[in-house]
Amino acid sequence: MWLQVALGLSYLVLSSQSQDRASLRRSNDHTGRCQYTFTVDNPAEASCSGTSGGPDMEVVKSRLTLLEALVSRLLGGKGAGGEGSGGGGDKTIQEAYSQAMRDKSQLQGDKEQLNRQVQGLQRRVDELSAAAETLRQRPCHQHQAAGAGLPLHELNQRPASDSLYQEMKAEVTEVPASRLIQDAGQNHTGCGELVSVGEPVLHRKADSITGKYGVWLQDPEPMASPYGNKTVWRIDTVGTDVRQLFAYEDMEQFAKGFPMKVMVLPEPVESTGATLYRGSLYYQRRRSRTLLRYDLAYESLAARLDLPHAGFHGQHPYSWGGYTDIDLAVDEQGLWAVYSTSKAKGAIVVSQLDPESLEVKRSWETNIRKNTVANSFMICGRLYTVASYTAADTTVNHVFDTATGQGRGMAVPFKNHYRYNSMVDYNHAQRKLYAWDNFHMITYDVSLGRPSRSSQ
């Protein structure tokens, strides 16, 4: 509107001139300031004869001055308008800042989500690495090579849906002639004294820290129940409230890590001293000298009894510790407890237990210090101890015969291949030692000599 007023005034200024020709020019001066310049041709003068311009020129100047004032007002109004719009500019800046903060929050959320995805992928990589290690440690199943007479160990494979594969391996075992001669004097059916312990055979490796040590067994004399002598049982014993008992259909499913059932025991387990016998799990209740018999078929407690005067929870453990004060065992003659008492002052006490009631039938005190041996097992009524749980090459160093009440030293070679053997138990049906060596579940074949007169 101001521009219209200014143009109207310019028309009034020039309306008194006949045949007037005028022009309005807008440009910046040398300082950058905007200037409006009006140019009017004088129809009466071809050229200016003087600098004063005369009275007409004075009129024009005064009117131009007025016009410049109006233009200044016009420009000033725009400036005021610009200043008045400053609040809107501040509002726009505030909105832009708010949007930027929202974008920042969104980006931060995206970053956190990506971090979670990366962590999930890392966990998956760790799981796959553990699975690959498990595959590398798969057990070997012996097959007889046609016409060769040599055992071949063929590693199991995962199902075809698995993305992990295992390399097939074969081993040839050479049997020296001296060993064949020695075997001729051994007893492969009845009881006898331990002559040799074979090489460890790996069946499975635990895939978490809770499996550093534990118990794994098969029942040598299963009762008429849903579970037979092929069923494999396992307890991971790292933790403060160990209650899970895993059941596997057979050794193959055990090697694959596919349990058919998981039972939750009513009382927590203490350490690695549990055993299986005639359809029941026998174990020590945590932080007590209480023995429990858990019926596997009915999944309930069938008996409970305190082992008289037995040390517990670190009073008289094996040399590796682990609260191994009470070690339950089974052999051809029944159920046994290996422990110590304050009266025995740390020496091993062997007691035969009633498998139904858990009552002590008879006890023997030995001269073997319990905390100086790594583990023990029973074969044919004889207690055998292992010298070390970490030495790769150690020995079965003591034997105590409950038939005679006599003990002596011995030196039957024994291997701790994985250097932390926390459990050794004998299965007389399989004639094997079952052991848990630093996450690895293994077995050893054993050879017995001819039965002695005392064991017949």
Side-chain angles (χ1 to χ4, degrees):
M1 179 177 178
W2 288 111
L3 184 57
Q4 292 175 351
V5 173
L7 291 176
L9 290 173
S10 64
Y11 175 78
L12 292 175
V13 171
L14 301 175
S15 63
S16 62
Q17 307 295 329
S18 62
Q19 301 176 354
D20 54 335
R21 293 187 299 275
S23 63
L24 172 64
R25 186 168 64 87
R26 181 173 177 268
S27 62
N28 294 331
D29 64 3
H30 68 281
T31 63
R33 184 175 181 181
C34 181
Q35 291 184 340
Y36 287 85
T37 305
F38 293 92
T39 304
V40 181
D41 292 336
N42 191 339
E45 295 177 293
S47 62
C48 298
S49 57
T51 60
S52 63
D56 291 337
M57 182 61 66
E58 293 298 327
V59 173
V60 171
K61 286 183 177 180
S62 63
R63 291 184 178 182
L64 286 175
T65 301
L66 177 61
L67 179 60
E68 289 174 354
L70 290 173
V71 170
S72 297
R73 284 188 65 184
L74 173 63
L75 294 176
K78 287 185 178 180
E83 292 171 2
S85 63
D90 292 342
K91 182 177 181 181
T92 302
I93 292 173
Q94 183 64 36
E95 290 176 353
Y97 177 78
S98 299
Q99 183 62 40
M101 293 304 294
R102 287 193 294 270
D103 292 343
K104 178 182 177 183
S105 299
Q106 180 65 35
L107 290 173
Q108 185 66 29
D110 293 343
K111 177 183 176 183
E112 293 174 356
Q113 183 177 2
L114 288 173
N115 286 338
R116 288 193 295 270
Q117 292 176 352
V118 169
Q119 292 172 2
L121 290 173
Q122 185 61 48
R123 285 193 297 270
R124 181 59 179 159
V125 168
D126 293 341
E127 291 171 359
L128 291 174
S129 299
E133 179 64 20
T134 300
L135 287 175
R136 283 194 291 270
Q137 301 295 342
R138 277 293 181 79
C140 299
H141 294 281
Q142 292 187 354
H143 300 281
Q144 197 70 18
L150 295 174
L152 296 178
H153 299 275
E154 185 181 357
L155 296 175
N156 290 330
Q157 290 183 331
R158 286 271 183 181
S161 60
D162 270 354
S163 60
L164 300 173
Y165 299 90
Q166 187 176 11
E167 180 183 1
M168 304 299 291
K169 297 182 179 178
E171 292 180 354
V172 176
T173 304
E174 295 183 1
V175 181
S178 60
R179 177 66 178 274
L180 295 175
I181 295 172
Q182 184 184 32
D183 285 348
Q186 291 178 0
N187 170 26
H188 298 282
T189 56
C191 270
E193 188 170 302
L194 180 68
V195 173
S196 66
V197 178
E199 294 290 320
V201 176
L202 177 65
H203 297 271
R204 178 167 173 76
K205 181 182 178 183
D207 49 12
S208 67
I209 188 61
T210 58
K212 180 173 176 60
Y213 45 84
V215 180
W216 81 287
L217 296 163
Q218 290 179 290
D219 193 339
E221 298 181 23
M223 304 295 287
S225 70
Y227 312 108
N229 57 3
K230 291 185 178 180
T231 307
V232 181
W233 303 88
R234 166 184 169 179
I235 305 173
D236 294 346
T237 59
V238 176
T240 58
D241 191 39
V242 176
R243 294 175 184 263
Q244 287 187 326
L245 174 63
F246 296 88
Y248 302 83
E249 184 176 359
D250 52 30
M251 196 69 81
E252 182 180 358
Q253 296 302 309
F254 173 71
K256 292 178 179 178
F258 301 149
M260 65 177 180
K261 190 177 186 65
V262 181
M263 300 180 185
V264 179
L265 300 173
E267 302 282 359
V269 179
E270 181 87 308
S271 197
T272 61
T275 194
L276 277 165
Y277 187 54
R278 295 183 178 178
S280 292
L281 172 73
Y282 298 85
Y283 69 97
Q284 174 193 356
R285 186 184 183 279
R286 184 173 182 266
R287 289 182 175 270
S288 74
R289 59 172 60 93
T290 303
L291 303 182
L292 302 172
R293 179 167 79 89
Y294 182 78
D295 190 298
L296 298 172
Y298 292 98
E299 299 184 25
S300 62
L301 285 178
R304 172 196 296 263
L305 194 70
D306 283 358
L307 185 59
H309 312 295
F312 63 94
H313 204 66
Q315 292 177 334
H316 302 295
Y318 289 126
S319 60
W320 74 272
Y323 304 125
T324 51
D325 300 75
I326 300 175
D327 191 8
L328 300 174
V330 169
D331 70 356
E332 296 83 350
Q333 298 183 12
L335 178 65
W336 303 85
V338 180
Y339 59 105
S340 188
T341 64
S342 57
K343 180 181 178 182
K345 299 180 180 178
I348 289 179
V349 175
V350 183
S351 292
Q352 191 169 22
L353 306 179
D354 184 297
E356 294 294 324
S357 66
L358 301 176
E359 291 181 355
V360 175
K361 297 165 67 175
R362 188 177 176 187
S363 296
W364 295 261
E365 184 176 322
T366 74
N367 59 359
I368 306 167
R369 309 297 299 176
K370 192 165 185 290
N371 62 3
T372 65
V373 296
N375 226 303
S376 71
F377 52 92
M378 298 292 298
I379 299 180
C380 299
R382 293 183 177 91
L383 172 73
Y384 295 92
T385 63
V386 180
S388 173
Y389 63 96
T390 56
D393 296 297
T394 186
T395 61
V396 177
N397 61 343
H398 292 288
V399 57
F400 179 87
D401 191 345
T402 59
T404 63
Q406 300 296 316
R408 61 180 177 83
M410 63 189 314
V412 175
F414 186 94
K415 292 186 179 297
N416 295 312
H417 186 71
Y418 302 100
R419 310 295 292 270
Y420 202 98
N421 208 330
S422 59
M423 167 249 170
V424 181
D425 261 6
Y426 178 61
N427 184 308
H428 56 274
Q430 302 287 338
R431 189 158 283 195
K432 294 179 185 293
L433 294 176
Y434 287 61
W436 195 301
D437 189 357
N438 200 17
F439 295 95
H440 299 80
M441 284 145 269
I442 56 179
T443 57
Y444 303 82
D445 289 331
V446 298
S447 298
L448 305 180
R450 293 295 180 184
S452 62
R453 185 170 300 176
S454 62
S455 62
Q456 289 178 336

